[in-house]
Structure formats: structure tokens, C-alpha cells
Amino acid sequence: MDLKKLHEFLVQCELNFCDRLQAFCSDMQKVSFALSFLKGIALTWFEPKLLNTIPGAEPAWADDYSEFVIELTTNFGPHDPVSDAKHQLNNLLMKDGS
């Protein structure tokens, strides 16, 4: 998940939460909604923790949306945003106007 897609995903989640306040009155509902739209490696990363059926062993993010966002961005956001930005700037190319 690249940073732009991650940001767009989180914005879309927030828009849904604001649009349907009654449906998302708890953090657990927000986390479940967001998880239902994950795909690929992000879903694969969260899957073992979701399928753990040991009572009391739920991850902190399971019922805390803020913790979920931290978990998601920690694992799928930029590892070093300053270096990533420098790298992107150093690799900018002007496109030919023709």
C-alpha cells in the first residue's frame, strides 16, 4: 500500500463514518468496516490476528480505531518519510512537451 493510497483509504473511511454516524458509533465498528476493505498484503498482515480465537488475546487495535490507524500506518506507511521525500525529489524528471 503506497502512502497516497493509504491516505485516500483513511479519508474515505472517515467520510463514511461521518456520513453514517449511527452505523459507526463505536471504534470496533469503524475497525471492522476498515478491515473489510483491506486487500493484498495489508489484509494478509492483519488476518492472523483477526482469526485468533483465544479470548482476551485480541490486539489493542481491534476495538480502538486510533490504534488501528497507527498499526496500519506503522506497517504500511513510509518507513522514513524524510528519506522517501528526498528520494522522490531526486528522481523527478521533466516530461517532454511534445
Side-chain angles (χ1 to χ4, degrees):
M1 183 179 284
D2 70 30
L3 185 58
K4 183 178 179 194
K5 286 182 181 179
L6 176 58
H7 179 75
E8 288 174 358
F9 174 76
L10 293 173
V11 168
Q12 288 173 334
C13 286
E14 290 295 330
L15 288 171
N16 275 284
F17 302 155
C18 290
D19 187 48
R20 299 179 10 206
L21 293 173
Q22 295 295 341
F24 300 110
C25 55
S26 77
D27 276 9
M28 187 178 286
Q29 291 166 317
K30 292 177 181 180
V31 171
S32 293
F33 176 81
L35 284 168
S36 72
F37 287 96
L38 292 181
K39 297 177 184 174
I41 194 167
L43 178 59
T44 301
W45 192 90
F46 280 97
E47 190 174 20
K49 293 162 183 66
L50 292 170
L51 298 177
N52 181 5
T53 57
I54 300 170
E58 297 85 11
W61 51 260
D63 61 358
D64 186 329
Y65 185 70
S66 296
E67 286 293 323
F68 171 77
V69 171
I70 290 169
E71 190 80 11
L72 189 62
T73 55
T74 297
N75 290 288
F76 299 100
H79 295 288
D80 183 355
V82 173
S83 292
D84 289 351
K86 285 179 183 177
H87 177 74
Q88 289 176 349
L89 286 171
N90 288 335
N91 292 301
L92 284 177
L93 297 174
M94 290 192 65
K95 293 187 178 188
D96 190 9
S98 56

